[in-house]
Structures are given as C-alpha cells and as structure tokens.
C-alpha cells in the first residue's frame, strides 16, 4: 500500500494551492460583499473561470473524457486531494467547473445523453457556459427513499407533461442555471425500481415556477436550495435522459464519485477549522494559561487531528476503490464516508467554535458556515441513517458468508 500522492497529483496540488493563494483568497472579501449586495454570480467569477481554464485546471473530476472535451480526466484518487484544497473556500469549486450539482449532472449526461442532448446540455456545461440542477426531493414524501417520489412525467403524443413539487433543489437560483434533470414517475404501476425516469427540463419552460430559495440554518445560499413547482410542464419526448424506467438506476449511478468530492471538500473545511482552533488556542489566555495549555482544549485539538486523519484515509481508500472497481463495487465504502464525515465536520467545527468563545458563532469566522455545511450534508445525497442501513445490510450478508467459511474450516456440520 502506497500512501504517497502520485507525482501528477503532487504537482497539481501545488498549482491548485498557488491559484487559490493568488486569485481566490484575495477575493474572499469582495465575493462576500457582492453577494451581500445581491449580485450573483459576482463580477470576477467569469474572469477567474477563464483563467482556470487557460491554466488547465478545469473539469478535474471527470474521467474517461473524449479527445475534444475540455478537462483533465483525473482519477478519483488524484482528484480527491485537489477537492480537499477547493473545500476551504465554499465558492472555489465553481471557478474550476467542479461544483455540485453540475459534476453529478455531467457524469450522468456523459453516461446517458444522446448526441443532441450532448450538444445542447453537456457541451455548454463542460465549457462552464451554463449551470444546472438535479431535482429529486419532494416536500410531500420521504425522499430518502427515492421510490416514494410522486412527481408525474406523463407521455402525451410527442411530449412529456410534468406535474409535481420539488424542494431543496441546489443551484436553481443561480442566474446561469439553465436546466434541471428532473426525476419523476413515468410508470407508477410498474415494478418498484422501474417506475422512475429522468427528463431534461429547461428552467424557462412554461409551468416551471421557482417558489422560493430556502435558507438552511439561517444561511442564505446565493445559488439556492429552491422549492420548485411544475404545473403541466411540457417538454419534447426527446428530452428523456436514458430509457423510460431507468431513473432509479441512473440516480444511483450519479451519486458515487460526487460523495467522494463532497467528503474531500469537507476534509478541507475541517482542516481549516482545526487550524483556526489551534491559532486561537495559542493567542487567548484564561486563568493564567493559554487555552491550549488547558488539558480539555488540547485534547479536543488532538482528537480532531486523529479523526480527520482517519477520515481522510477512508475517503482516499474509497476513491481508489471507485477507480479500480467502479462506484458499484465501492458502495459500502462510499456509504461509510458519507455517514462519518459530515457528522465529523459538525463535531470539529463545534469544537473550534467553543474554543473561539462567542466569536466562534459570529460571522467573523467561517466556523458557523463550516458547521452548517456539515449539518446540511448529513441529509444531502442521502441521510446518515440510509447509509448506515446499507452498511449494516452488507456487513450482515458478508458476515454470514464468513461464518459459513469458518464453519467449513472447523468442520462443523451444516444445520
Ligand atoms: C442543503 C441541501 C441541499 C440539497 N440539495 C438537493 C438537490 O440538489 N436535489 C435534490 O433532489 N435534493 C436535495 N436535497 C434534499 C436531500 O437529498 C433530502 O433532504 C434527503 O434525501 C432526505 O430526504 P427528506 O428530506 O425527504 O427526509 P425523509 O426521507 O423524510 O427522512 C427524514 C429522516 O428520516 C430518517 N430516516 C430515513 N430513512 C431511515 C432509515 N432507514 N432508518 C432510520 N432513519 C431513517 C433520517 O434521519 C432522515 O433525515 C438537499 C438537502 C439539503 C439539506
């Protein structure tokens, strides 16, 4: 087992860090001020995107690119440490065209788009000209079980007609978001996992109404987590992505690498929280001692370091497995990181906030945003419990197989 990052990855990490230091960190204040003034995307975003593209730091996450597609075609294992660097600034991924939910949508389109869909939706997305959303979750049904989805996608002549209500649809308030991939039911009476399909829906289709951008823990995302109503939304039948009834399978395919990206960005945020905690613990004194000289504070620092290291190793193992055996073969590992890391992000951010005193929950540090990011990620892409359920089911099945093997070894007669 080799714990070194590959040479390519090491070189890219330096280039990425330099880009962050030279072009992104100096604009943190300007980004915050422009967003607060209601201007999104901010004035310099397109310039930064052009620069990132010209430096070849573009679409880093997408493997198996075609010759003429812009991007780097990195493995998950090489991209993961770069995502960690990106994670330190919430909006940095957009500069490199590596933001969720576009990344997952690009993976889906890459796998399932036909030639016309490729030209109309994927090509401009790969070029960073447009942005996109993925609309699955609904307010009226428990959406962590995607078989519950109720939105109807009904065939009518050469069209599909969509009716339903979605919410928490990330990115739908971004002014450059031009389309959504919508999941709904084309065959509500069919076999459970073949009832669902996905269609491409331009945002400006009549009948699409973005009702509101929902705040999360009082945090307002400028790109949005939106509630959207679909009232007799009519799109051509050619907007079906993949086959009718393939929606559930495609939703599963979409989420594997994206969970690794989310988790590595989380590791970057946790590193930042820990750095801030250490800095604060060395500059404030209570009862005659620096904070880090109090045993309870130094223990929290040590625990955070140990837990972040464990988490990173597991994410990198998952990334290596996705590269070797595909997201299907790494399902258990992907669920493990998804169940561990967002909760750990909350824990580390909470410890850092405590060490900062009241300032820790003010807007003067990024700790509140880091906590909120971790808390919301405990739902997005599947809540913790759904992943724990999957891990337990796989573990029980595998342990049964291991037990049978042990029984054979010990020559215990089968019962
Ligand atoms: C910031 C943010 C961004 C999001 N972005 C998107 C997006 O872009 N597109 C999109 O479609 N959705 C998005 N979502 C929605 C997210 O995917 C859903 O919230 C999630 O799938 C859970 O669905 P639900 O909210 O309907 O919870 P429900 O399905 O109602 O579940 C409620 C709770 O039940 C518990 N639970 C569920 N299953 C089990 C089980 N087997 N055992 C024990 N307990 C269980 C869990 O604690 C869960 O939180 C986003 C959510 C957030 C917070």
């Amino acid at each position: 087992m080799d714990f070194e990052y590959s040479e390519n990855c090491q070189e890219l990490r330096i280039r990425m860090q330099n880009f962050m230091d030279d072009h992104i960190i100096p604009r943190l204040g300007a980004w915050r001020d422009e967003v607060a003034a209601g201007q999104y995307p901010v004035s310099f975003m397109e310039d930064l995107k052009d620069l990132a593209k010209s430096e070849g730091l573009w679409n880093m996450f997408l493997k198996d690119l075609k010759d003429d597609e812009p991007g780097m075609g990195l493995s998950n294992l090489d991209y993961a440490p770069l995502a960690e660097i990106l994670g330190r600034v919430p909006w940095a991924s957009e500069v490199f065209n590596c933001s969720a939910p576009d990344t997952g949508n690009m993976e889906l389109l890459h796998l399932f788009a036909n030639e016309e869909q490729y030209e109309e939706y994927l090509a401009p997305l790969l070029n960073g000209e447009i942005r996109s959303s993925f609309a699955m979750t609904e307010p009226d049904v428990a959406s962590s079980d995607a078989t519950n989805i109720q939105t109807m996608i009904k065939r009518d002549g050469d069209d599909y007609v969509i009716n339903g209500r979605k919410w928490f649809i990330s990115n739908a308030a971004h002014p450059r978001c031009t389309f959504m991939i919508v999941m709904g039911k084309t065959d509500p009476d069919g076999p459970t996992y073949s009832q669902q399909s996905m269609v491409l829906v331009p945002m400006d289709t009549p009948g699409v109404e973005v009702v509101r951008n929902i705040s999360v823990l009082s945090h307002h995302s400028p790109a949005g987590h939106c509630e959207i109503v679909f009232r007799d939304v009519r799109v051509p039948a050619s907007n079906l992505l993949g086959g009718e009834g393939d929606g559930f399978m495609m939703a599963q395919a979409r989420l594997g690498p994206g969970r690794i990206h989310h988790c590595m960005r989380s590791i970057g945020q946790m590193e930042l929280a820990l750095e801030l905690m250490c800095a604060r613990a060395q500059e404030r004194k209570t009862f005659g001692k620096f904070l880090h000289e109090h045993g309870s504070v130094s223990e929290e620092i040590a625990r955070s370091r140990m837990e972040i290291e464990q988490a990173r190793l597991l994410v990198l193992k998952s990334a290596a497995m996705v590269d070797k055996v595909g997201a299907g073969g790494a399902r258990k590992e992907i669920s493990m990181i998804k169940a561990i890391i967002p909760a750990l992000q909350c824990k580390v951010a909470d410890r850092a906030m405590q060490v900062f005193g009241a300032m820790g929950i003010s807007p003067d540090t990024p700790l509140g945003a880091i906590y909120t990011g971790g808390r919301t990620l405990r739902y997005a892409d599947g809540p913790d419990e759904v992943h724990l359920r999957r891990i337990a089911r796989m573990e029980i099945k595998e342990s049964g197989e291991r037990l049978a093997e042990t029984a054979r070894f010990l020559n215990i007669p089968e019962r």
Side-chain angles (χ1 to χ4, degrees):
M1 200 179 291
D2 186 356
F3 287 97
E4 287 288 320
Y5 294 145
S6 74
E7 259 180 54
N8 186 31
C9 176
Q10 292 191 44
E11 189 247 330
L12 285 169
R13 282 181 76 226
I14 294 169
R15 284 177 54 202
M16 173 64 74
Q17 192 58 62
N18 289 342
F19 195 105
M20 295 283 285
D21 292 344
D22 294 345
H23 305 295
I24 292 188
I25 306 293
R27 291 183 168 86
L28 290 180
W31 191 90
R32 187 196 53 220
D33 294 345
E34 286 197 32
V35 167
Q39 187 181 330
Y40 198 77
V42 293
S43 58
F44 49 78
M45 182 57 82
E46 295 310 306
D47 290 343
L48 285 187
K49 281 165 70 176
D50 287 344
L51 189 62
K53 203 192 271 185
S54 71
E55 293 199 8
L57 297 169
W58 192 254
N59 292 341
M60 293 171 277
F61 62 94
L62 200 54
K63 278 172 72 177
D64 306 323
L65 287 164
K66 297 178 190 156
D67 287 346
D68 56 346
E69 285 175 340
M72 303 167 73
L74 295 182
S75 65
N76 285 288
L77 191 56
D78 277 352
Y79 172 57
L82 304 179
E84 178 178 341
I85 297 173
L86 292 181
R88 294 172 68 99
V89 175
W91 51 270
S93 298
E94 183 170 1
V95 173
F96 306 95
N97 217 32
C98 293
S99 294
D102 294 331
T103 44
N105 289 347
M106 287 189 238
E107 307 238 18
L108 256 189
L109 290 164
H110 212 251
L111 286 171
F112 300 107
N114 61 32
E115 241 170 73
E116 291 76 38
Q117 294 167 342
Y118 186 101
E119 287 309 320
E120 191 170 348
Y121 298 100
L122 181 56
L125 206 51
L126 283 171
N127 279 322
E129 293 157 23
I130 59 170
R131 300 216 46 203
S132 63
S133 285
F134 181 75
M136 188 176 83
T137 303
E138 300 179 2
D140 296 337
V141 291
S143 303
S144 43
D145 175 357
T147 62
N148 287 336
I149 296 305
Q150 281 181 340
T151 291
M152 281 303 303
I153 304 176
K154 209 169 166 192
R155 184 76 189 238
D156 182 28
D158 291 339
D159 297 332
Y160 283 109
V161 179
I162 306 161
N163 280 290
R165 183 182 290 264
K166 303 282 184 184
W167 73 348
F168 287 95
I169 306 311
S170 299
N171 218 30
H174 195 296
R176 284 174 184 259
C177 177
T178 59
F179 77 96
M180 294 169 272
I181 299 178
V182 178
M183 176 142 144
K185 286 194 174 168
T186 37
D187 182 11
D189 301 319
T192 309
Y193 298 105
S194 309
Q195 297 176 0
Q196 304 80 6
S197 301
M198 288 189 192
V199 280
L200 295 154
V201 179
M203 293 297 291
D204 59 4
T205 312
V208 171
E209 185 193 350
V210 177
V211 179
R212 59 174 173 150
N213 178 357
I214 306 167
S215 300
V216 289
L217 290 178
S218 303
H219 170 79
H220 175 82
S221 158
H225 305 295
C226 297
E227 180 168 349
I228 304 177
V229 179
F230 299 77
R231 286 191 194 90
D232 291 329
V233 174
R234 192 171 278 273
V235 294
S238 56
N239 279 27
L240 181 75
L241 186 61
E244 244 188 44
D246 288 346
F248 193 90
M249 173 274 291
M250 288 159 69
Q252 299 298 311
R254 181 180 178 277
L255 289 173
R259 287 176 177 146
I260 290 174
H261 309 166
H262 271 316
C263 287
M264 278 312 274
R265 284 192 292 261
S266 286
I267 304 259
Q269 291 180 55
M270 286 192 269
E271 285 288 357
L272 178 58
L274 179 55
E275 279 166 30
L276 293 171
M277 181 168 28
C278 290
R280 186 71 164 178
Q282 292 175 79
E283 69 185 24
R284 300 280 273 200
K285 269 188 175 175
T286 60
F287 305 100
K289 286 180 179 175
F290 283 108
L291 291 178
H292 72 91
E293 291 169 332
H294 294 292
S296 60
V297 174
S298 68
E299 271 179 26
E300 296 288 53
I301 291 171
R303 277 188 216 293
S304 300
R305 169 49 61 214
M306 293 189 299
E307 289 165 358
I308 294 171
E309 291 298 316
Q310 290 174 334
R312 181 189 288 104
L313 284 174
L314 192 52
V315 184
L316 292 174
K317 180 192 171 193
S318 311
M321 282 188 71
V322 174
D323 289 335
K324 285 203 183 101
V325 296
R331 279 170 71 219
K332 191 159 131 191
E333 283 70 18
I334 290 172
S335 277
M336 287 196 262
I337 59 173
K338 183 61 183 52
I340 290 172
I341 284 155
L344 181 60
Q345 181 174 339
C346 293
K347 205 172 3 167
V348 172
D350 188 69
R351 288 170 181 158
M353 289 193 282
Q354 193 67 13
V355 168
F356 264 79
M359 185 185 175
I361 53 169
S362 77
D364 295 358
T365 78
L367 296 170
I370 293 175
Y371 180 88
T372 304
R375 193 66 191 82
T376 57
L377 207 51
R378 290 189 59 197
Y379 305 110
D381 287 5
D384 299 355
E385 292 82 356
V386 170
H387 292 286
L388 294 172
R389 173 176 180 264
R390 174 182 290 167
I391 298 162
R393 287 176 136 193
M394 293 179 83
E395 193 59 32
I396 283 165
K397 183 164 176 279
E398 287 161 22
S399 77
E401 288 159 9
R402 282 198 299 271
L403 206 60
E405 195 56 39
T406 312
R408 263 195 299 282
F409 178 72
L410 295 175
N411 213 9
I412 298 170
E414 271 184 45
R415 273 186 277 168

